[in-house]
Each structure stands twice: as structure tokens, then as C-alpha cells.
Amino acid sequence: MDTEGTYDARGTGAERVPRPAGPPPAAPPPPTYAPQPRRPAADGPGVEEWLRTPRPVREPGVWRYGHVPRPPEKPEGVSDRSLLVGVLISVLSGLLLWSLWRNGYIPYRLVPLKLFTPGDWWYAGTFGGPRTIEGADALTVYEAVLFGLLVYGCGRLGNWSEIFRRHVAGRGQPFLGLATAAGGALAELLVWKDAVPLVRPVLILVASVAGGEIYQSQTVVNVIYALIALGVLWPFARLGRWRELAAARRGRAAAVPDAPAGPPDAPTPEQWPELREAGMRDAAEALTAEVRTGRMNDVDVARLRHAWSVGRGHPERLAALTEAVLRTGGAAALHPSGARDLARRTVRHDLLTGQVRIGSCTDDPHNPYARRGSGVALEPALLGTSLLAVGPPGAGKSARLVRPVVESLALQALAGRAAVLAVGGAGDELGPDDAFDVVVRIGDPASVHDFDLYGGTTDPDEAAGVLAEGLVGDVTHLDSRRAATVLAQLLGPYRAVHGHFPGVPALRELLDGDTAAIDALREALGAGGHQSMLRELEARTRQKGGAGDPGPVLADRIALLDRPAFAPFFATGDQARPFSLRSLEHLPLRVRIDLPERAHAEASRLLTRLVLAQFTAVTAARTDRSLFVCLVLDDATHTVTAETVRGIRRLRSVNAGALLTLRTVDDVPEGLHTALLGAVGCCMAFSGVTTWDGKRFAEVWGKEWVETREVAQHAVFADQPFTRALHGLRKLVTGKAVTRDAVTVRRVERERWSASELAYQVPPGHAVLSVTTVEGEHAPPLLVTLDG
């Protein structure tokens, strides 16, 4: 196994890899370096583009790969229908007022103008018109100013700007440029047809400032006309952003498709800037060439980045890594299995962030506006707080949650960053066999691996405590500490004599109190001088058969494993080489345990409890916690005990986590409901949960302050005869009495999700998920459509 010094430096060489029962198979040949084009996903981008894609830091649970924040929420405005009606009314009103003005139906319309101009320009009287040419020119300019004020006022009253932003500017280019160009052409037509008073007022103002002799030059007249035309088009050009559109068109036309890009000022992600900064330029150049030629995949990138981060504090390890990179390129620092990828991926992964996408937030009022439509992902920072998923059979827990998580952890194990232990029923629901390093098929004679009931420990007390939790942890009337004491009184003496713990048949005989087995063990202890262990055995002999003796219950439970189907399993001694969970302490292993749920349901539950108890004990005792370790239980029914709940609560602090699925919370003893829901940081309720389960989740997720609007209708009573007549006519037409609305806005505290909403308003294929990071950052419960 070519680890290039990456794993060996941590004391996790090949001798620690779990071996199958019986003679181990021949070691696999060293992995050959066969460069092949690889991609992060079958239908995804190349590795170079994948590395360059931005991953902004967002709230917990957001799929960060290529995430684009949602635009800010727009306040509730006027409807499109109301806007169009307002525009139509403002235009018609403006035309009416302008017609009345031009035809002289508005009284005193010339009074403001006469106040600021000489009196000899006008005829006497209020309605007297202009007497001189100067008066006529002043009236022309006056009408142009009033026309501009009328257009501005109608535009404000009709909210023309909102119509433009919503239906023209909102559609972007090139529609914006074309629409404003059409508007500019129409404006030019109206101006030069003198429908809009602009040309004559401008000519009059220029003549009053520069003198009438200026128009004797045709060139000057043409320049003035050109300025007028440009002045009409200028606001349309600003609104349509013609300059930006033209620049974009020129840029695309001038671009050369095959022109090589110049070297950037700063190295891009595929150029491995961290290695360049550390002076490892040759290694960085080699890896850059590997990425650009397609001979690396995302697992290689994540694995080498992790190896670099781990080895920064160890110069000798960095030297070995650099040498391996120069020799084998992206195949350096391989996983002990020699694999560089999974044979098949079923969901989207981003190994730079360690995320796996399981779905997206729906456009539902329960979800915050900013999260609607965004992707939802899980990662070690969330799984480190443990996740509890509850849903009926067929809700999609295995296919849409468990398998994507197991697949993600398997990829991260290939990158050297995690270890995964998946426990479920027989079959490939958790992934194919080639996706795992160790597959333990309990009860299957074809299985090449066994299972260690004692978790690889040599301490009788530790082995007894874990085994007691697995055997009788679900028995409410029995104290597991007393059961552990009974087991320790038998395991210690047996190990002192034989050098290993007893197998299942021998342990059953001792728990049953078989006279021949007890006497033989007593004689061996006496002959070996194990006086302390002899006292332990004698204490067990005296307590046997007493009130509250847990021995018979332990014997009945261990008898579930003493079946012909399990005869080749659970062996101990020098010839037995069972798989031990202690292999997960340092090695990034991918382990799957298949349980015989159909033929031996009770034995499967016992083994699941034992695995959970061993996992919490092993992870808590780790000295090197740099490797994230996760346990995935596809069905945790009758598995959780009081001690394992305390162990799950401790996983967060030892860089470990657990994913548990249940059909209902009632599969856990009632006294542990609150403790279990409080021990996990992530909760997931699938569609189809009962109202009883929904009530427990509603209590966990708590309440929030919301703003409510209450509308009350009050009858309107008219005092005047004319008003009463109008109200009577309106009631006759509409059939309803005249009322007015009274709106009350209040802030109230309501449940984020109620029990009935969880039971009846979560559609099939959806789930409500809340997450918490190991740092304590929370995300509210979100309605997620699952596409895992």
C-alpha cells in the first residue's frame, strides 16, 4: 500500500488494517499510475472549472458550490393591473388638460405670464392674447414649460417609473436597449411634427440670447437642430444604457476564441498557490499540469490538500509528499486501498467543502425568504452534532438521506479526511461492495470478515460495560451497571486463563452457571495463581440465583447469538481475526456491516446496540482526533439506551458523529425521548410522521415572533339622503352592504412548525430539516425537497 509516508507517520501502517477471518488474502499489487480524464461528477464540470467555482460562506446547511444569493425581497407593491390602469388614467387626464388649455377653456391661464412680462405685449383684459411678436414668443415658451410640468406631473401620478422598472428595465438587455430606442424614435417623431412643443421654444430662446441674426447661417441652424435631436435622445440613452450595450457588443466582437489567456497576477486555485507560497514550486507545477490535462479528479485534489495541511508541521512528511508528487503526480498519498474514486456516484458532492447535496429549500412561507430555492447540504461540521431522522417506511430515509451521506463520507475517506461505519440490512442500499474497504455480513457464510463482540479491547471491565449495554441496555427494569459487573466477573477470569475473551458458546455456558464450565475455570485459576480473579469468580458464584440477578437475562440475550447461522462468527482466540471498531481510530476506513434483519430481527437489534455502544466508547477514547469518524445506522429501532444517549452527546467534542433513522420516536423508550432529541444537533422529520412525533419536533424547534394582520369589516352608515341613495344603489348592484376595513397589525409568538403541519402539510418526497454546527451556529427548520 503506497501511502507515501502520509499515514505511516501516524502509526497507522498496513499492519493495522483489519484482516478477514482465516488466512488473509494476498496483498494487492501497488496501484499503477494510469492517467485518465476525470471529473467531479459524471455530468459536472472539469476539475479546473470545479476548482475555480466560488464557494461563498453562508448559513449552515447551504450548498455553497456556485451559490448565488437570492435578490432582496421586494416589498409588496401595486399590482400590474393597478399600475396599467393608473398609467392609462394619467395619460388620458393629461391629454384632456392639454386640450382644454390649447382651446382656451381654462380661465386665467395667462395671468401668471402677464405678471412677469411687459403689459404692452398683451391686449387689455384677463382673456386678452398677445399683441406683439414678443408676446407671442413668450406664450410659446410659456406653453412649452407648462407642457413639461404636465408630463412630469402625469408621470408621477401614474407611476410611470415603476412600470418602466418592472416591465422594461427588469427584462435586461437587449430588450431594454431596443425598447428605449423605439421610445426615442417616437419622441423624435412627435417633436419634429410639432406635437410636442420643443423646437420653436428652443429657437426662440436661442434668438433671445444670441440675437435673431444667428439664423442667417444655415450651418448654425443645422447645429441647433442636431443638438435638439441629441437632447431628445439623451434621456432614452441613459435609461437604456446604450453605452454599456455597445461596449459589450464591441467586446464580444473583438474577442478571439482561441487566444491564449495571459498569466494572471495571482495564482488561481488550480495552480496550487499554497504550495507555491511554501516554496514547493516544482510540486505545484506538476499538480497544475495534472489538473489542466485532466489526469486528476476532485478526490485527488482533496486528498493532496489534506495531506499538505496535515504535513505542514512535519518537514520529513512534506519531503516525502513532494517526492511522491514529482514521481506519481496526482496518484501521490493514496488511500490504503489504492482507490482514487468510487465506481459510481448517485448525488452531487463538493469535496473542497466536504458537502453532499441532499435537496433544495422549497418556496414555502415557513422558509426564510433568503433560503427559498437554495440548495441544502450536509457536511462533517453538521454531522458532528449527530442527526436524527424520523419517518415512516417508504418516506425515503435510506435512498435520499442515508446513502448520500454514506457516499459522501466514503469519498472523504478516500481523501484521508474521514472514516465511516454504515450499519443496515443485507443488500446494497448503503452502497455497493466495491465502495467499502471492509464488508461484514453477519450470518452469511460467504463473509470474509468477522465481528469482534468486545470492540478490540483487552480490559475486562471496558469489554463488560460495552457488551452489557448491547445485551440488556433496552431492558428498563435492569441496571446495565449490574449486568456489566456480572460480565466482568466472568470475562476477567476467563481471559486470565485463556489469554482472550470467551466466544459466544463459552460465555453462554458461564452465564447459565454450567457447573462443569465454572469448575474448570476455577481449577485453572487456582493452578495459575490468579487469586484476584478467583475471588471475582467466587463472588459471581455466590450471587447466582439471587434476587435481581441479571445473569439469566444476559444468558437469554447471548443465546440469540448462539445460533447455527452465527457459528462461524464472533470467534475469539489466536486463529480468529474479527473486525474491530478500533481500526477506525486512525485509518480512514470505509466499513459496512450487514445485519440479518429478516431471519434474526432480535439478534440484529442486539448487534446494532452493541455497535452503537462500541462506537461511542472507541471514539471517546481516541487520542488522535484529527480524523472525523461517523456512524450511520439505517434503522436505530430499539437501539438507543440511556448510556448511548450520553455517548452521542459526547461525540461532538471528539470529532465524531452519528446518523440515526427511526420509523417513529416511539421506537425509543419514552423516558429517552427528550434526552435523545436534546442530544442531537440536527433533526429531520420526513413526510408522513404522526402528530405525536410532530408534537415532539415542534417542541424541539420552539417558537418565533411573527407579524399578523387582522382585517375586520365594519358597516358604513350614511346620514345624508344622497349618500344613503348611493349606498342603496351599490348594495343593489353588488348584493353586499357598504363596509370599511379595519386592519390590526400585531406581533405574536407562534410555533415554527406545528404538529398538524408536520403530519399533514409536508408533501411526499419532502422533509423538514434543522441543523446545528459543532461551533453552535443554528439554522431554523426548513422544508426541503429531497433529490438525493
Side-chain angles (χ1 to χ4, degrees), residues 708-780:
T708 61
R709 293 169 59 90
E710 297 179 357
V711 181
Q713 293 183 338
H714 300 285
V716 178
F717 299 97
D719 298 331
Q720 302 299 325
F722 180 72
T723 309
R724 283 198 298 269
L726 289 178
H727 288 185
L729 178 62
R730 180 175 175 181
K731 183 175 182 181
L732 181 64
V733 173
T734 62
K736 297 180 180 179
V738 179
T739 60
R740 63 183 178 186
D741 295 340
V743 181
T744 303
V745 180
R746 296 188 303 172
R747 284 179 57 83
V748 297
E749 194 177 21
R750 288 184 178 176
E751 291 178 327
R752 300 178 186 270
W753 281 87
S754 67
S756 358
E757 288 174 335
L758 289 171
Y760 302 112
Q761 294 187 14
V762 179
H766 292 66
V768 180
L769 170 67
S770 67
V771 296
T772 305
T773 66
V774 291
E775 290 82 11
E777 188 176 358
H778 297 267

Side-chain angles (χ1 to χ4, degrees), residues 130-413:
R131 176 187 295 177
T132 62
I133 296 177
E134 291 82 359
D137 292 343
L139 179 59
T140 300
V141 175
Y142 177 59
E143 287 181 345
V145 173
L146 289 180
F147 181 81
L149 294 176
L150 179 63
V151 171
Y152 176 77
C154 291
R156 291 295 301 271
L157 292 175
N159 207 357
W160 295 1
S161 59
E162 180 63 24
I163 281 285
F164 178 80
R165 285 193 298 268
R166 188 177 299 184
H167 296 286
V168 180
R171 300 181 65 174
Q173 300 286 12
F175 180 82
L176 175 60
L178 294 175
T180 51
L186 178 61
E188 291 282 1
L189 179 63
L190 294 177
V191 167
W192 296 110
K193 288 293 185 180
D194 208 22
V196 174
L198 180 62
V199 177
R200 290 185 61 209
V202 171
L203 296 176
I204 291 172
L205 290 175
V206 171
S208 64
V209 173
E213 295 80 3
I214 193 173
Y215 295 121
Q216 294 179 0
S217 173
Q218 186 62 38
T219 303
V220 174
V221 174
N222 292 337
V223 170
I224 294 175
Y225 284 163
L227 292 176
I228 293 175
L230 292 177
V232 172
L233 289 179
W234 181 77
F236 293 96
R238 288 290 302 274
L239 291 174
R241 299 196 291 271
W242 294 357
R243 181 182 299 177
E244 298 177 10
L245 180 60
R249 293 289 180 179
R250 286 196 304 270
R252 281 196 291 269
V256 179
D258 298 330
D265 296 335
T268 52
E270 77 276 6
Q271 294 177 326
W272 301 82
E274 63 273 15
L275 297 183
R276 297 176 186 273
E277 293 176 1
M280 304 168 62
R281 190 174 185 84
D282 293 339
E285 292 291 346
L287 293 178
T288 301
E290 295 281 300
V291 171
R292 291 180 173 174
T293 55
R295 293 182 294 185
M296 288 183 66
N297 63 1
D298 54 346
V299 178
D300 297 330
V301 173
R303 185 183 68 254
L304 291 174
R305 284 195 170 190
H306 176 71
W308 158 253
S309 63
V310 170
R312 278 185 297 183
H314 305 275
E316 70 284 353
R317 192 178 301 176
L318 280 184
L321 178 61
T322 304
E323 180 184 356
V325 168
L326 295 177
R327 186 174 70 255
T328 60
L334 280 180
H335 183 265
S337 66
R340 297 175 63 179
D341 201 353
L342 299 180
R344 178 173 176 265
R345 302 188 189 185
T346 59
V347 291
R348 297 180 62 188
H349 303 272
D350 183 24
L351 289 177
L352 283 190
T353 58
Q355 291 187 319
V356 53
R357 182 184 174 110
I358 62 172
S360 57
C361 293
T362 61
D363 190 3
D364 187 86
H366 288 91
N367 295 339
Y369 174 82
R371 293 298 305 271
R372 297 174 191 173
S374 63
V376 177
L378 296 176
E379 56 184 306
L382 303 178
L383 296 174
T385 63
S386 298
L387 189 153
L388 176 66
V390 179
K397 301 187 298 296
S398 298
R400 300 183 179 183
L401 174 65
V402 173
R403 179 156 184 174
V405 170
V406 172
E407 188 175 289
S408 173
L409 293 172
L411 288 172
Q412 294 185 54

Side-chain angles (χ1 to χ4, degrees), residues 53 69 72 79 195 197 206 225 229 317 364 380 428 440 471 574 584 586-587 623 648 660 663 671 678-679 705 751-752:
T53 302
S79 63
V206 171
Y225 284 163
R317 192 178 301 176
D364 187 86
D428 58 354
V440 182
L471 292 177
D574 297 335
L584 301 174
H586 304 291
L587 287 174
T623 56
I648 291 173
L660 314 177
R663 295 182 177 90
W705 288 97
E751 291 178 327
R752 300 178 186 270

Side-chain angles (χ1 to χ4, degrees), residues 79-164:
S79 63
D80 291 345
R81 179 179 178 182
S82 299
L83 281 176
L84 293 175
V85 171
V87 169
L88 180 61
I89 291 176
S90 64
V91 171
L92 294 177
S93 300
L95 292 175
L96 177 62
L97 287 174
W98 185 245
S99 177
L100 294 176
W101 171 273
R102 295 296 297 266
N103 291 285
Y105 289 104
I106 297 179
Y108 310 108
R109 64 190 185 98
L110 300 180
V111 171
L113 180 60
K114 292 180 179 180
L115 292 176
F116 295 96
T117 54
D120 56 356
W121 287 7
W122 312 96
Y123 288 107
T126 305
F127 296 95
R131 176 187 295 177
T132 62
I133 296 177
E134 291 82 359
D137 292 343
L139 179 59
T140 300
V141 175
Y142 177 59
E143 287 181 345
V145 173
L146 289 180
F147 181 81
L149 294 176
L150 179 63
V151 171
Y152 176 77
C154 291
R156 291 295 301 271
L157 292 175
N159 207 357
W160 295 1
S161 59
E162 180 63 24
I163 281 285
F164 178 80

